[in-house]
Amino acid sequence: MLPRIRNIGRDTLRQWSCATSIPGSHRLTLQTVWSRDQSTKATTPAKTIFSGIQPTGVPHLGNYLGALRQWATLQNDAATNMTLVYSLVDLHAITVQQDSNQLQQWKKESLAMLLAIGLDPNKSTIFHQSDVPAHAELMWILSCQASTGYLSRMTQWKDKTANEKDGNKKLKLGLLSYPVLQAADILVHRATHVPVGHDQAQHLEFARELANGFNHTFGGDVLIPPETLISPARRVMSLKDPMAKMSKSHTNPNSRILLTDSEETIRTKIKAAVTDSMDSITYDPEGRPGVSNLIDILYHSDAHPAYPSQDELAKDLAGLSMRALKDRVAETVETTIKHIRASYAHFLNDNDYLDKVAAQGAEKAAKSATTTMKAVKSAVGLI
Amino acid sequence: MLPRVRHIGRDTLRQWSLAESILGSRRVPSQTVWSRDQSTTVTTPPKTIFSGIQPTGVPHLGNYLGALRQWVTLQSEAAKDTTLVYSLVDLHAITVQQDPKQLQQWKKESLAMLLAIGLDPNKSTIFHQSDIPAHAELMWILSCQASTGYLGRMTQWKDKTANEKDSSKKLKLGLLSYPVLQAADVLVHRATHVPVGHDQAQHLEFARELANGFNHTFGGDVLIPPETLISPARRVMSLKDPMAKMSKSHPNPNSRILLTDSEETIRRKIKAAVTDSMDGITYDPEGRPGVSNLIDILYHSDAHPAYSSQDELAKDLADLSMRELKDRVADTVETSIKHIRASYAHFLHDNDHLDSVAAQGAEKAAKSAAITMKAVKSAVGLS
């Protein structure tokens, strides 16, 4: 389990940080990723930032504060020579058994949500992975380079299949191959940077190895090994079990706040959040996980915060009752969510617009992928 | 090693026989595959026969007598509502390391050869596998159904990777996944029948399991489990090592007769074929493998033979000297090959025609695949 981030300075929290433990990655400072400064444009090569999102239901507050909110900011602050690509990875979603009708609905909801949080299909490329066959095409070609031994030792495969009897439904080729399709996603769009959580770092390392291995085998620089951007852990904990991360799959729906929750639901859930019976409000994640989670939510919700740390914020909250704290948290969350909630409802009911956005995204993504596939197929001797 | 076929009646040799050992397959009398009899077409559903060919160099006499010649017969005798699909499986070829330039050339040569033996792009669908992204797309979707345990136990994987150290170049995901792409090849074109050699029977059984499993999981009859047609073993042995099959890869080129060999080369190779020093000509594959191989070549070369068995033919050859036998074999082989050789040379130099044929085939194959992919994606919930 990842340690919770404590007392991290505000600047670090707002920045993507490069994973310095990744061999071969060089330190890339925030300003070169975000900058609109024209003077760096000449020296800063064009970037392509690729993000893959599982289309598995409406996101929760943890998803939003942890990643989604940054995407909208990135889009708005991006340099003009930066390409932003967002893929709803439905082919990855089916590596575990899905109900067909639910998957179809989730895809629609996920797309509506990306629009609701502020992604603009005219500024970014937003598409469904399965709409672009080149992802599967490059996946096959890369699988002729990928070692089965390496894949079977990957943490995610081992974790997901631990203790499964061989005949178990989980031991599917798609699940073993997951990182290879992920590599194809990134490499087919020539991504230079890929923001992921810690749990995907190993897969990104693998993608780099595949790219380098391909270039070594076939010559040239056909594939671009991307840099990993590890988003700083901005973990929102479960409201019912504050030692666990807020998640989509926890059996108790009151453990999470969905971006579609009504104001009333938000208040109900926050009110019922597990805290403790100690007096006053202090920030102490180890000793007071429930209360500290509420403080974290307040702290991270403010995009341009007044406080440099949770401790500073806690000082201002010290005299509040638990009820007053919860009221404040609920108000803040409602403020954060209400515009998204309204936009989402609007987009979800506009099927024509969603179809149009998906088609527009697929077209852009296909064009991007075609460039890569042409070079790849030529290098391999397929054309 | 497969037992050589002996004393098989002529009718059986000319017919495809269904593998009775294939579980669940229905017995289809062979004549309905070939028949033009209008009265059976009402009761016999239309067939789609799919053949995958590795584009790995000019075929030899064994390939021709063993399979390729039957394809042409099939094309001219097939019922009007039978669809014939031939795919040059270049994506399968790259599961072992290939030199890109050689692969590119081999693809061209293989296509020219299919035309040279008599396949007609207007009567059949002839295409390069990598030109149709749907093959890789369906492969991914099927891999979410395919068990890694099952694949790891397949004979071909075990044979090809036996005694390889884990880090060996051979243990690639593409090689493990080979049967799943093969299943995608046959299923994406809704093949009802697939002619293969014995060594592919296990893969076809797997394809049927994937199809049935998919239909069971997602409902309906989206995928069609095809029938396996095992071509009767018509084995041509190596001219230099008559206990081994004639092959493309044997280090001694004099062990095989290529369909591009000149008359002089054919005579020279036959002359140098390993026989023995016994008197007279008799058909005795175990005791006289070299001589019997020459008799087999004579016997199988005649598409409408006068003899009911090799033994009958051998009676007529009994008094020939070894040299005379070899002359006769060389004459016969030259007669079989010369038209093909000339056609091949013609097609190989007509790049425009080859490109046009490949494009025409890709268009037909893409149309066929699109129908299947639409139904598959809808069933899975991807669209």
Side-chain angles (χ1 to χ4, degrees), chain A residues 91 100 107 140 143 146 173-174 382, chain B residues 91 107 140 143 146 173-174 379 382:
Chain A
L91 295 178
S100 311
K107 285 180 53 165
W140 175 265
S143 70
L173 182 66
L382 294 172
Chain B
L91 295 179
K107 285 181 51 164
W140 175 266
S143 71
L173 182 66
L382 294 172

Side-chain angles (χ1 to χ4, degrees), chain B residues 94-136:
Chain B
I94 62 172
T95 55
V96 295
Q97 203 165 342
Q98 303 287 353
D99 174 76
K101 293 210 152 35
Q102 181 174 74
L103 178 61
Q104 199 181 23
Q105 181 62 17
W106 273 353
K107 285 181 51 164
K108 201 177 139 190
E109 291 176 0
S110 301
L111 180 57
M113 192 51 84
L114 289 185
L115 300 175
I117 62 168
L119 290 187
D120 181 346
N122 296 312
K123 292 185 185 172
S124 308
T125 302
I126 306 168
F127 69 103
H128 293 294
Q129 184 191 37
S130 68
D131 284 343
I132 310 297
H135 286 240

Side-chain angles (χ1 to χ4, degrees), chain B residues 186-202:
Chain B
V186 314
L187 298 175
V188 86
H189 294 291
R190 298 175 308 291
T192 57
H193 297 80
V194 182
V196 291
H198 279 267
D199 63 333
Q200 298 295 309
Q202 194 187 36

Side-chain angles (χ1 to χ4, degrees), chain A residues 91 94-95 100 104 107 130 133 140 143-148 153 166 171-174 181 377 379-383, chain B residues 91 94-95 100 104 107 130 133 140 143-146 148-149 153 166 171-174 181 377 379-383:
Chain A
L91 295 178
I94 61 171
T95 55
S100 311
Q104 200 181 24
K107 285 180 53 165
S130 68
W140 175 265
S143 70
C144 297
Q145 309 289 315
S147 149
T148 50
R153 287 189 296 273
D166 175 74
L171 297 174
K172 299 299 186 191
L173 182 66
L181 180 60
K377 285 182 171 179
V380 174
L382 294 172
I383 55 173
Chain B
L91 295 179
I94 62 172
T95 55
Q104 199 181 23
K107 285 181 51 164
S130 68
W140 175 266
S143 71
C144 296
Q145 310 289 316
T148 50
R153 288 189 294 272
D166 175 75
L171 297 173
K172 299 297 185 192
L173 182 66
L181 180 59
K377 285 183 171 180
V380 175
L382 294 172
S383 64

